[in-house]
């Protein structure tokens, strides 16, 4: 049998003190029989602290003591030679001095400053692993070939990276070396350091997994996995054992803050599963995100997500009937104002849609008033039932019986765009009640088999 290829990623909370770093090393050791690639974030809150240091430098104050101290303590406790980090701390100081001198922080500067977090953490972990007899090597992502565009703070990985990453990692793996790789950071074609957006090490890990054709990505986090709803709103949420990529993507969109929004794209459709596991309870199973669900997970509503604070806009054509091109006129306005739309429902002469409350609604109204009558309603929320929604009639029946029983009015419905969700709009003051009663009725106890 071929050796399993595994990419594992540890976030900042898994590295925040020496005990957790030992735990991280323990997990790595346990998986040492596999072809293992490790991606890590910065230690603890380093990224936030580095941003603070940059702001202090702008005000003339060079202070990165909190970051240095945490690294000193960890090195001491783990018997890692702190001198291995000296060059990077000197570089950090120089970068901060540059900000102080120039009196400005450009996005490119922020990326450079943030990069020190991951560049430091890979050295600490790989040195410690070497101390305990594990053959690990710290690797900056750009040494593997992570190349991005120059969209600082939120850069996109360029497709040519994949081949380079594959070749470089295959070489390390064939020598039985465990690479400890910086998540989150990369370089553009000119050699400037870039970042993939906050929380971006999930994306680094899945991109690597897709490049080397790994069997699985494990993201170690401080949560049990993906839950059936937001525990801040619902008492009896359940941890989902298994969820499909499409279901997970819908959840990410609706604000399940567990994953970097783009992190699933590289592995979808490639037979690479993504597992989210709790670092603090590492014997427990987490949530598996897969291309193909097991039979017993196929026919269920699995989760209820929501999005608060949406505005509903009703747009009715002011010419009497079927105005040819009405839809395209409406969308041209949205396009010109760069407003993105979430939900849509249409009839012959009118269209209802929802947007984020943050958009400039007055401007939108002004532009639409030329050819339409516009009605705006605020303080709404989108509720989304996520799972297999192909047997929609049955789901609608159950859901609407519950909503009727609790006298909750639905203002708009959307179904048909995908087979994994049904969305509707309720007033925000009814949101908590809505999600609760639906969660009890469709997910808790037996749940609804559809
Ligand atoms: N260290 C980075 C951040 O805090 C990247 C990550 O944690 O994934 O955003
Ligand atoms: Mg982090």
């Amino acid at each position: 049998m071929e050796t399993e290829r595994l990419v594992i990623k540890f976030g900042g909370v898994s590295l925040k003190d020496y005990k957790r770093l030992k735990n991280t090393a323990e997990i790595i050791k346990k998986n040492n029989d596999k072809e293992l690639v490790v991606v890590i974030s910065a230690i603890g809150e380093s990224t936030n602290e580095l941003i603070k240091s940059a702001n202090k430098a702008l005000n003339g104050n060079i202070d990165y003591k909190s970051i240095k101290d945490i690294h000193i303590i960890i090195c001491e406790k783990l018997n890692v030679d702190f001198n291995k980090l000296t060059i990077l701390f000197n570089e950090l100081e120089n970068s901060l001095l540059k900000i102080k001198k120039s009196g400005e922080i450009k996005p490119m500067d922020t990326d450079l400053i943030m990069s020190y977090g991951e560049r430091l953490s890979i050295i600490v972990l790989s040195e410690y692993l070497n101390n305990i007899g594990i053959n690990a090597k710290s690797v900056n992502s750009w040494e593997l070939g992570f190349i991005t565009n120059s969209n600082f703070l939120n850069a996109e990985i360029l497709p040519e990276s994949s081949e380079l990453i594959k070749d470089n990692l295959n070489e390390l793996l064939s020598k039985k070396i465990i690479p400890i790789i910086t998540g989150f950071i990369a370089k553009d074609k000119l050699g400037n350091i870039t970042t993939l957006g906050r929380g971006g090490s999930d994306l680094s890990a899945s991109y690597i997994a897709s490049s080397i054709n790994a069997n699985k990505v494990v993201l170690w986090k401080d949560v049990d996995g993906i839950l059936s709803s937001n525990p801040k709103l619902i008492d009896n949420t359940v941890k989902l054992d298994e969820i499909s990529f499409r279901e997970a993507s819908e959840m990410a969109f609706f604000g399940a803050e567990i994953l970097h929004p783009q992190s699933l794209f590289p592995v979808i459709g490639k037979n690479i599963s993504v597992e989210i596991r709790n670092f603090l309870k590492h014997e427990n199973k987490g949530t598996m995100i897969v291309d193909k669900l097991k039979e017993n997970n196929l026919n269920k509503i699995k989760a209820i997500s929501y999005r608060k604070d949406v505005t509903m806009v009703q747009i009715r054509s002011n010419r009497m009937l079927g105005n040819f091109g009405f839809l395209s006129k409406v969308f041209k306005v949205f396009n010109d104002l760069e407003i993105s739309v979430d939900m849509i429902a249409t009839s012959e002469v009118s269209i209802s849609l929802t947007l984020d409350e943050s958009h400039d609604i007055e401007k939108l109204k002004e532009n639409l008033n030329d050819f339409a009558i516009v009605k705006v309603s605020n303080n709404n929320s989108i509720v989304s039932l996520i799972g297999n929604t192909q047997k929609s009639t049955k789901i609608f029946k159950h859901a609407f019986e519950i909503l009727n029983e609790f006298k909750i009015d639905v203002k708009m419905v959307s179904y048909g765009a995908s087979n994994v969700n049904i969305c509707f709009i309720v007033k925000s003051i009814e949101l908590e009640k809505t999600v609760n009663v639906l969660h009890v009725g469709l997910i808790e106890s037996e749940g609804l088999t559809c």
Side-chain angles (χ1 to χ4, degrees), residues 14-46:
S14 318
L15 310 163
K16 77 172 191 187
D17 56 37
Y18 81 95
K19 283 190 187 142
R20 292 196 178 192
L21 267 150
K22 279 189 167 175
N23 198 9
T24 296
E26 223 21 70
I27 294 172
I28 293 174
K29 207 168 161 183
K30 260 195 200 154
N31 286 292
N32 207 1
D33 55 336
K34 313 191 172 84
E35 286 192 325
L36 191 62
V37 172
V38 179
V39 176
I40 63 173
S41 306
I43 285 177
E45 286 294 307
S46 297

Side-chain angles (χ1 to χ4, degrees), residues 39-79:
V39 176
I40 63 173
S41 306
I43 285 177
E45 286 294 307
S46 297
T47 311
N48 292 332
E49 292 297 315
L50 284 161
I51 294 172
K52 281 187 204 156
S53 295
N55 289 324
K56 283 185 193 163
L58 193 61
N59 297 319
N61 185 8
I62 303 298
D63 174 13
Y64 53 92
K65 187 174 178 312
S66 66
I67 306 152
K68 194 167 177 177
D69 283 351
I70 186 173
H71 285 82
I72 291 177
I73 295 170
I74 287 176
C75 284
E76 222 174 75
K77 293 278 190 190
L78 297 181
N79 244 331

Side-chain angles (χ1 to χ4, degrees), residues 233 306-310 355-357 380-382 428 431:
L233 208 68
Y306 58 85
R307 181 183 273 209
K308 270 192 207 161
D309 302 330
V310 299
L355 348 151
D356 250 28
E357 255 168 30
N380 297 296
S381 294
I382 303 179
S428 288
L431 175 67

